[in-house]
Amino acid sequence: MSKVAIVTGASKGIGAAIALQLAQEGYHLVINYNGNQQRAEAVKVLCEKFQTAIVVQANVAKSEEAKRLCDTAMETFGQIDVLVNNAGITKDNLILRMSESDFDDVLSTNLKGTFLMCKSVSKIMMKQRSGSIINISSVVGISGNAGQANYAASKAGIIGLTKSLAKEFASRNIRVNVVAPGFIQSDMTDKLDQEVIASLRAQIPMKRLGDPKDVANTVSFLVSEQSSYLTGQVICVDGGMVM
Ligand code: NAP
């Protein structure tokens, strides 16, 4: 039996690239999305060129939906070897203009969603005595960013959560690591003004935006046997932006 991977927020962008990469490497895929069924189904078609794939709608910020996502993966494939917590949103504003609900929404999806998914798969992976969890943070979780207090707090929280779980799970042969992308071309960054994009590009030593594939390649390494002695680490994929 091939290994099984769940990728949250895999209907587009970085999540879609990770799902496709893992399918190419022989993983059966559980492609999660929240609102964009059409794009999730298109990712499924691409993944199915290589392996079996299913699409599951679930809002990872809701405990019953996160649990249903894991239950569906188990009912379909009977095991979960890899979980990539990629689902994420932004609701940017300076703190004086940031509403409490914009803070709560970003923390709920990005941080609580990651917690709920880790909790749901942990029982299964502990029983299997194997597994690999990758949590997608961001370089702004390390450096902070004006106008992204909610997002940076959620992404910094993911790093603390990951390191704690790495310590809890290490003896069970479950590794937990963070990938912290820098500035990657996707719908999330397409929302920014051209001026902001130009000034961000200027801050990147490699002078270019990353591609979702750059993140997918790092995830691929972190779930592979080649990184079998690596846990609790934060790998920045950012063209040298944060060192
Ligand atoms: P994106 O293109 O906006 O895609 C976000 C994905 O998350 C979509 O598939 C979306 O699904 C899903 N999603 C959102 N809320 C969800 C929820 N409550 N439950 C389940 N799925 C949900 O974003 P991206 O740029 O690929 O970013 C992917 C991850 O990388 C995020 O965690 C982001 O914070 C992180 N990141 C991105 C960058 C960057 O420069 N792009 C940099 C650092 C970190 P639907 O469309 O179906 O709703």
Side-chain angles (χ1 to χ4, degrees):
M1 170 78 179
S2 298
K3 289 188 170 181
V4 178
I6 300 178
V7 183
T8 70
S11 56
K12 55 187 175 142
I14 294 170
I18 294 168
L20 185 55
Q21 170 100 17
L22 294 179
Q24 280 170 333
E25 289 170 7
Y27 283 84
H28 296 300
L29 251 297
V30 179
I31 297 160
N32 160 251
Y33 73 99
N34 188 28
N36 212 327
Q37 182 178 8
Q38 214 175 352
R39 289 186 72 171
E41 294 290 349
V43 175
K44 177 180 185 250
V45 170
L46 294 175
C47 290
E48 278 178 331
K49 288 187 184 152
F50 306 97
Q51 270 297 358
T52 319
I54 60 166
V55 165
V56 182
Q57 190 284 329
N59 177 352
V60 294
K62 297 195 170 162
S63 55
E64 66 281 10
E65 297 193 24
K67 186 176 176 307
R68 175 172 51 75
L69 173 57
C70 294
D71 289 348
T72 307
M74 283 304 281
E75 281 155 21
T76 311
F77 295 117
Q79 64 192 68
I80 299 170
D81 302 284
V82 165
L83 167 65
V84 183
N85 283 306
N86 165 81
I89 58 168
T90 51
K91 292 199 174 181
D92 298 351
N93 227 327
L94 296 171
I95 194 154
L96 288 178
R97 286 191 225 125
M98 186 177 286
S99 66
E100 192 177 337
S101 66
D102 282 355
F103 185 86
D104 288 345
D105 288 350
V106 170
L107 267 288
S108 291
T109 298
N110 298 4
L111 181 56
K112 190 177 165 198
T114 299
F115 159 75
L116 290 171
M117 288 301 298
C118 287
K119 190 171 159 71
S120 287
V121 302
S122 64
K123 212 187 268 178
I124 295 155
M125 288 184 173
M126 279 191 194
K127 219 167 153 190
Q128 289 173 180
R129 290 203 163 259
S130 70
S132 180
I133 299 174
I134 309 298
N135 295 327
I136 305 295
S137 174
S138 164
V139 290
V140 309
I142 299 167
S143 64
N145 197 22
Q148 289 197 306
N150 50 2
Y151 183 75
S154 72
K155 295 300 188 178
I158 285 175
I159 294 173
L161 171 72
T162 301
K163 292 184 177 186
S164 303
L165 298 185
K167 289 184 177 181
E168 285 187 29
F169 297 161
S171 64
R172 310 293 184 101
N173 193 31
I174 302 165
R175 299 184 298 112
V176 196
N177 289 291
V178 164
V179 174
F183 190 35
I184 309 294
Q185 185 86 54
S186 77
D187 284 5
M188 192 176 268
T189 46
D190 287 348
K191 288 193 287 198
L192 300 170
D193 303 340
Q194 283 309 311
E195 260 177 46
V196 176
I197 293 180
S199 94
L200 280 166
R201 187 184 282 119
Q203 293 167 38
I204 303 170
M206 291 180 79
K207 300 291 175 217
R208 68 168 176 89
L209 271 62
D211 187 273
K213 182 88 180 133
D214 294 317
V215 181
N217 283 332
T218 306
V219 169
S220 158
F221 165 69
L222 286 173
V223 302
S224 76
E225 275 306 301
Q226 289 180 1
S227 64
S228 59
Y229 197 50
L230 201 157
T231 196
Q233 300 305 306
V234 180
I235 312 290
C236 294
V237 181
D238 66 349
M241 213 172 158
V242 171
M243 303 186 195

